Amino acid sequence: MQPAQRHILHAHFHGETRDDPALYQQLLEVLQGISPRVQALEPDGAQMDLSGALRYFDRSPRDLAELIRMRVVALHGVQVTLAVAGNRLLAGMAAAVTAPGGITVIGHDPHDVAAFLRPQPVGALPGVGPATAKTLVRHGLHRIGDLADAPLLTTQRLLGATTGRALHDLAHGRDPRPVTPQPVARSVSADHHFDRDELDPGRHRRVLLDLSDQLGSRLRSQAQITGALSLTVRYADRSTTTRTRSLPEASAHGDDVRATVYALYTALGLQRARVRSLSVRAEQLRPAHDAAQQLSLDQVRENRLAIEPAIDRANARFGPGAVRPASLARARRE
């Protein structure tokens, strides 16, 4: 007996949803009126599993997409781009190449899937960042079809066993991820209040190191990545300064979070400032599986990335802070 075919819809909302969380939530509720299996892709997208709704409404995928578009426009005046396909990968990629306000439906026939995927550049695959795309192109794999035709072992030699297998599956249009009907948290934060107004920049940086370490660990435990970080400094007179910076690539790795937080602090140019508290907030959160798979020639960074899961497991087992940067351990003994 063959498994039931899935129908996944990807919606991309246009307009003011990025700056209006209340409107975005209302748009999600429109989708939930069609199917309860809706996963938010903040700040302006969502995916939903239409499989059960097709039977309930007795409509085709395109007809149901038309119904959704009509309700979104009629109730909220928002234009929406929609795409329906057999899995989350294809639906998301189809939405990306659909004209604003349009609808694309990709059938389950392997020929239809291949006709859509194969001509596209390898950089169109989710998880393929600029460095990975450059490596593939340098070895003659310009299109997704080229990557699909390449032997799996060849791809793994170029990109590593895990990344090579993952991209090999994506190039063939395989994506078993389910739609998870729960929204992603909008932000995660960590803060520190000094016992007294603190003037020492060295102590400021140690606290920022600790907050970055906490934030990265929390993001990884929740399988999320952040696209931007905000630093808020509260001074002795209770005034505050907040600065935000986007990461070059969304990430939850400790080095990336730490470097961005330090850059925010340095940019403030504080001179003998009496700081009462520091707060770091991760924004523009997305599921971790959306992260680009970047190749790196920095062996130190690669080693740190490799050991991070072990550190997370140790902290989960023995308590937060069981394994932490050495400078923080010295500060604790002091």
Side-chain angles (χ1 to χ4, degrees), residues 224-235:
Q224 295 179 338
I225 54 176
T226 177
L229 291 164
S230 291
L231 170 64
T232 298
V233 181
R234 182 175 294 276
Y235 306 100

Side-chain angles (χ1 to χ4, degrees), residues 162-176:
T162 302
T163 301
R165 179 172 291 280
L167 293 185
H168 182 79
D169 286 341
L170 294 181
H172 285 87
R174 295 192 287 264
D175 181 10

Side-chain angles (χ1 to χ4, degrees), residues 8-319:
I8 307 301
L9 178 141
H10 186 107
H12 174 68
F13 304 111
H14 304 275
E16 305 300 322
T17 57
R18 287 178 174 271
D19 303 316
D20 192 343
L23 173 60
Y24 178 69
Q25 184 59 46
Q26 291 170 355
L27 294 171
L28 291 181
E29 290 171 0
V30 172
L31 300 184
Q32 289 163 353
I34 300 294
S35 169
R37 301 191 64 81
V38 176
Q39 180 170 335
L41 301 176
E42 297 181 90
D44 54 11
Q47 288 189 335
M48 59 189 300
D49 192 330
L50 291 179
S51 306
L54 293 173
R55 293 189 295 271
Y56 180 82
F57 287 92
D58 192 24
R59 297 195 181 201
S60 69
R62 181 173 293 277
D63 288 343
L64 207 49
E66 292 277 8
L67 175 62
I68 291 170
R69 181 171 63 178
M70 181 182 67
R71 289 189 178 183
V72 168
V73 172
L75 294 174
H76 301 289
V78 173
Q79 188 180 56
V80 59
T81 299
L82 300 167
V84 183
N87 58 47
R88 295 185 59 187
L89 164 76
L90 296 171
M93 292 183 65
V97 296
T98 301
I103 295 175
T104 296
V105 177
I106 299 176
H108 288 80
D109 189 303
H111 296 291
D112 294 339
V113 174
F116 170 73
L117 271 182
R118 291 182 64 86
Q120 297 198 51
V122 291
L125 279 177
V128 176
T132 302
K134 185 176 180 180
T135 298
L136 293 171
V137 169
R138 189 167 65 246
H139 288 83
L141 305 178
H142 298 266
R143 304 284 178 183
I144 294 177
D146 300 330
L147 181 59
D149 292 338
L152 173 59
L153 290 179
T154 299
T155 307
Q156 290 180 316
R157 280 198 296 270
L158 293 176
L159 305 176
T162 302
T163 301
R165 179 172 291 280
L167 293 185
H168 182 79
D169 286 341
L170 294 181
H172 285 87
R174 295 192 287 264
D175 181 10
R177 292 176 299 156
V179 172
T180 304
Q182 61 184 29
V184 177
R186 288 189 175 86
S187 66
V188 174
S189 62
D191 54 66
H192 177 88
H193 295 268
F194 292 102
D195 294 333
R196 64 178 187 276
D197 298 335
E198 185 56 68
L199 290 167
D200 184 2
R203 291 187 181 275
H204 296 167
R205 291 180 69 87
R206 276 199 295 273
V207 167
L208 292 175
L209 172 60
D210 188 23
L211 296 180
S212 300
D213 194 54
Q214 292 179 40
L215 211 55
S217 179
R218 288 178 61 187
L219 288 169
R220 293 190 298 274
S221 70
Q222 298 171 14
Q224 295 179 338
I225 54 176
T226 177
L229 291 164
S230 291
L231 170 64
T232 298
V233 181
R234 182 175 294 276
Y235 306 100
D237 62 0
R238 298 190 178 183
S239 64
T240 62
T241 300
T242 299
R243 294 289 185 272
T244 302
R245 178 171 295 192
S246 296
L247 278 71
E249 294 284 350
S251 173
H253 295 309
D255 286 357
D256 299 335
V257 174
R258 187 181 312 118
T260 303
V261 170
Y262 279 170
L264 285 166
Y265 176 79
T266 301
L268 290 176
L270 301 181
Q271 300 292 329
R272 301 288 294 172
R274 297 168 60 199
V275 175
R276 181 161 296 177
S277 69
L278 294 167
S279 177
V280 179
R281 186 174 69 254
E283 303 173 344
Q284 300 178 17
L285 303 190
R286 307 204 307 269
H289 54 65
D290 288 346
Q293 303 289 338
Q294 289 282 25
L295 297 178
S296 173
L297 299 179
D298 184 346
Q299 191 57 50
V300 173
R301 173 181 169 83
E302 290 300 314
N303 291 341
R304 289 177 176 172
L305 296 183
I307 201 173
E308 222 167 40
I311 294 174
D312 291 339
R313 288 194 296 270
N315 287 331
R317 180 174 181 180
F318 300 108

